[in-house]
Amino acid sequence: MKQKMVLKVQMNCEKCRTQALTIAAATQGVTSMAIQGQEKDELMVTGDGVDSVKLTRCLRKKLHHATILTIKEIKEEKKEEKKDDEPYYVCYPSYPMPPQIMVQDPCQYQACSIM
């Protein structure tokens, strides 16, 4: 089950933003993360099976303030395969085979005997 969650995190400087992204990247199941919002104080995290409470606790421990704003489930669209009644065949044109040329090494068949 893929999730998209938005967390409000107290990030006043670039160091805090880097630290928040590092914590989110280290969390199990996270596939992508981004900083958004007008004040750049929201962390958007997407992933499969991400524990939002655990992530929020880790952010609170390092950055002192974090709250969960939204958690949404992302539904993957299933692609419908086009089924035809006729099977698909690949046919290649037949080309005439070139004539076979036999090349023999004359040194190979000479018998040399010294007497």
Side-chain angles (χ1 to χ4, degrees):
M1 159 174 87
K2 281 200 162 205
Q3 297 177 9
K4 176 182 175 183
M5 61 185 80
V6 180
L7 307 167
K8 185 167 178 93
V9 183
Q10 182 179 355
M11 297 183 282
N12 300 329
C13 60
E14 195 62 37
K15 183 180 177 183
C16 296
R17 290 184 187 96
T18 305
Q19 208 169 23
L21 288 172
T22 305
I23 292 168
T27 305
Q28 184 177 3
V30 173
T31 56
S32 67
M33 64 247 158
I35 295 177
Q36 63 183 18
Q38 274 189 325
E39 298 177 16
K40 300 214 183 243
D41 61 346
E42 294 177 1
L43 179 65
M44 184 193 63
V45 178
T46 57
D48 191 20
V50 180
D51 189 0
S52 58
V53 176
K54 186 177 179 181
L55 176 60
T56 307
R57 273 193 209 144
C58 291
L59 289 168
R60 282 182 186 162
K61 189 174 181 180
K62 293 288 183 179
L63 301 171
H64 306 292
H65 181 74
T67 55
I68 300 172
L69 294 179
T70 60
I71 298 177
K72 295 180 183 176
E73 184 177 333
I74 300 174
K75 295 181 182 177
E76 295 180 19
E77 296 178 8
K78 294 181 181 177
K79 294 181 181 178
E80 294 182 19
E81 293 183 18
K82 193 174 185 181
K83 295 182 179 179
D84 293 332
D85 293 336
E86 295 181 26
Y88 181 73
Y89 294 105
V90 177
C91 296
Y92 296 103
S94 60
Y95 293 106
M97 295 293 289
Q100 294 182 353
I101 301 171
M102 296 279 248
V103 177
Q104 294 180 351
D105 188 13
C107 296
Q108 186 179 10
Y109 294 106
Q110 290 180 354
C112 182
S113 63
I114 299 174
M115 290 184 129

